[in-house]
Amino acid sequence: MDTIIQPVTTRAKRGPYRQHSDEFKRAAVARTQVDGASVSLVARELKINANQLFSWRKRFGDEALSGSTAPSQLMAVTVLNPPLAPAPAASVPSGVIVLSMGQAQLRLEGLVDVAKLTLLLARLLP
């Protein structure tokens, strides 16, 4: 009978979860909302995971921008001068295809039927 001897290894226990106050979370989120700030760099400086900081941004993001803890409210908006509709595109696309073979030249302008062009090129090109 064979005996396989393997060392017994146990995982080191994980430390306790860190509990951060809401003020700390809001301050961290505010640091990420400054122009040019990097969430990963801020997280590294605070010794927290960047994913955790992103979840705090979802939770506290609006509050950090407004500087208050009051819930957001909707405002009525009236559009005085609605934007004009874009001008319709020309019905015939502008463009030219020129095919030269020896002394013969084929010039196509405007809207071209793809099926007819395919048939023509199949007959002209060997």
Side-chain angles (χ1 to χ4, degrees), residues 8-75:
V8 177
T9 58
T10 58
R11 288 189 190 176
K13 285 195 169 189
R14 188 183 179 287
Y17 286 101
R18 291 185 292 171
Q19 300 291 323
H20 298 288
S21 66
D22 285 349
E23 292 79 25
F24 175 83
K25 295 174 186 177
R26 286 186 181 97
V29 169
R31 286 181 61 181
T32 65
Q33 293 174 332
V34 175
D35 287 338
S38 168
V39 174
S40 62
L41 291 177
V42 171
R44 206 174 300 156
E45 290 171 7
L46 298 174
K47 295 183 174 63
I48 58 175
N49 190 305
N51 292 329
Q52 182 65 61
L53 190 50
F54 275 112
S55 69
W56 292 346
R57 281 172 53 118
K58 288 179 187 174
R59 183 174 171 195
F60 299 109
D62 293 336
E63 295 175 11
L65 285 176
S66 65
S68 68
T69 58
S72 300
Q73 295 182 1
L74 299 177
M75 291 179 51

Side-chain angles (χ1 to χ4, degrees), residues 101-112:
M101 292 183 60
Q103 293 181 336
Q105 186 177 22
L106 174 65
R107 181 181 174 96
L108 303 169
E109 296 180 9
L111 189 60
V112 177

Side-chain angles (χ1 to χ4, degrees), residues 86-123:
S91 60
V92 178
S94 61
V96 177
I97 300 174
V98 178
L99 175 64
S100 299
M101 292 183 60
Q103 293 181 336
Q105 186 177 22
L106 174 65
R107 181 181 174 96
L108 303 169
E109 296 180 9
L111 189 60
V112 177
D113 183 10
V114 176
K116 290 182 183 175
L117 179 61
T118 304
L119 180 63
L120 180 64
L121 289 174
R123 299 240 175 147

